[in-house]
Amino acid sequence: MAFLDELAAREAAMRWLDERTMLATQTVSQPDVANFPFQGEDVALLLRQQGICKPRQLGAALSIRTTWTAPGQKPPYEDVEGPDGLIRYAYRGEDPQHAENRALRRAFEQQLPLVWFVAVAPAVYLARYPIYIVADEPEQLRVAIAISEDQRFLGIPGLEEVDRRRTVQRLTKLRLHQPVFRAQVLGAYERSCAMCRLKHVELLDAAHIIPDGKERGTPIVPNGLSLCSIHHRAFDANVLGIRPDLKVEVRRDILDEIDGPMLKHGLQAMSGVPLTLPKRVAQHPDRARVEERYEEFRAAG
């Protein structure tokens, strides 16, 4: 059969995804994006059972998927960040010549952009694109992925290139970890501020309980809170704290101030308010992290 234009099809797929992911946190399910229309045909984009999607009309892989793994369980394939800051995506199985792995390799050889569907909940995905394969590592049964064009052109840093490696890691955090963390946290809290219940997604953030960069500041839901922008800033600045009983505490000097309605209703009125928690207990704030962060809040006061 005659293949469709590889680049044109990918550009069409990404424009089509743009229409369905207007917000940075908007997620999709597999049926929503299983196929997209192109030149009068339905082209596969996200397959139900396969991690690597090569549509029959194309010669190379178009998308890859990382499946959802519940906390504490081992994923069937380990997609991890390497010491150079680049993501390693596992082959299908242990045969480098499997058809899906060859399709992945062709995308690398032709330097074609792909879509990466990262699961943030069961059957719920955040689409990251364009991504590029920058190295094939058949001995390790994996490929190395750049999650943006600027990261792609940095390539794979050598062992001695410390500054360049840090740049790659910073880009990975900015382009993948933070959006995935935000989608996971906002999804767990049903797109609502845990303090004031505001439900405007464009005004919501995923706040770290233990700040990013500290030893226990990992981007996982038990270290996250869905907060509106004002309460996120107040929490980070220790204007508001969270007690071990998961109620909000307002710094004493803030309670004594006299100002306008934002101070009165937005901050002072939060004193003693219990957090709205995710339905799943496994996604509740980690108590040890909450206690550690609360001690920091008290010291600041």
Side-chain angles (χ1 to χ4, degrees), residues 53-54 231 246 263:
C53 175
K54 189 204 82 65
H231 289 140
L246 300 182
L263 177 71

Side-chain angles (χ1 to χ4, degrees), residues 14-284:
M14 293 176 194
R15 286 196 304 270
W16 185 79
L17 277 173
D18 284 342
E19 298 172 1
R20 285 149 182 79
T21 56
M22 295 298 289
L23 294 173
T25 57
Q26 186 168 331
T27 53
V28 295
S29 66
Q30 189 274 336
D32 294 333
V33 292
N35 304 280
F36 73 98
F38 183 64
Q39 294 184 358
E41 298 191 44
D42 283 339
V43 181
L45 182 56
L46 179 58
L47 301 174
R48 187 179 298 277
Q49 299 295 334
Q50 295 170 227
I52 300 167
C53 175
K54 189 204 82 65
R56 60 180 176 79
Q57 302 96 330
L58 299 181
L62 174 59
S63 74
I64 59 176
R65 173 177 63 172
T66 294
T67 58
W68 167 254
T69 301
Q73 294 186 4
K74 183 176 176 58
Y77 294 96
E78 289 277 8
D79 301 326
V80 297
E81 183 179 336
D84 51 17
L86 294 168
I87 298 294
R88 266 37 182 210
Y89 185 82
Y91 279 176
R92 174 172 177 171
E94 298 182 355
D95 178 10
Q97 298 308 316
H98 187 283
E100 292 179 28
N101 299 330
R102 293 201 309 272
L104 208 58
R105 193 173 298 116
R106 282 193 290 272
F108 164 59
E109 292 166 350
Q110 299 174 42
Q111 278 301 286
L112 296 169
L114 297 94
V115 178
W116 186 9
F117 292 100
V118 184
V120 297
V124 178
Y125 299 90
L126 189 68
R128 308 304 302 161
Y129 56 90
I131 65 162
Y132 294 86
I133 300 172
V134 295
D136 183 29
E137 299 173 342
E139 298 82 4
Q140 289 80 38
L141 300 173
R142 66 190 189 185
V143 293
I145 293 173
I147 57 175
S148 63
E149 292 210 31
D150 43 7
Q151 193 185 57
R152 168 194 178 195
F153 290 118
L154 281 171
I156 298 182
L159 293 175
E160 73 285 353
E161 298 179 90
V162 176
D163 290 341
R164 194 159 168 237
R165 189 182 306 116
R166 286 174 179 164
T167 299
V168 175
Q169 290 170 329
R170 196 160 52 245
L171 287 168
T172 302
K173 174 184 169 184
L174 178 66
R175 302 291 171 78
L176 177 65
H177 299 322
Q178 289 182 353
V180 169
F181 177 61
R182 185 168 187 252
Q184 290 175 332
V185 170
L186 268 59
Y189 284 82
E190 298 184 347
R191 293 169 172 77
S192 173
C193 176
M195 292 186 182
C196 69
R197 292 40 165 180
L198 182 73
K199 291 185 179 293
H200 286 270
V201 175
E202 64 273 23
L203 300 178
L204 298 179
D205 299 329
H208 287 74
I209 297 171
I210 300 297
D212 185 28
K214 290 193 174 183
E215 182 179 355
R216 283 153 50 78
T218 48
I220 57 174
V221 174
N223 188 44
L225 294 167
S226 176
L227 298 178
C228 68
S229 298
I230 186 66
H231 289 140
H232 184 186
R233 293 288 296 273
F235 180 66
D236 284 352
N238 290 315
V239 170
L240 301 176
I242 298 173
R243 303 197 309 243
D245 64 358
L246 300 182
K247 292 184 179 180
V248 180
E249 183 171 319
V250 182
R251 207 172 66 207
R252 172 52 55 185
D253 62 305
I254 300 297
L255 288 173
D256 293 339
E257 285 184 16
I258 298 175
D259 201 345
M262 176 53 73
L263 177 71
K264 180 178 180 181
H265 301 291
L267 297 177
Q268 292 172 336
M270 291 296 102
S271 182
V273 169
L275 294 182
T276 299
L277 300 176
K279 291 179 180 179
R280 297 179 59 221
V281 174
Q283 295 178 322
H284 287 191

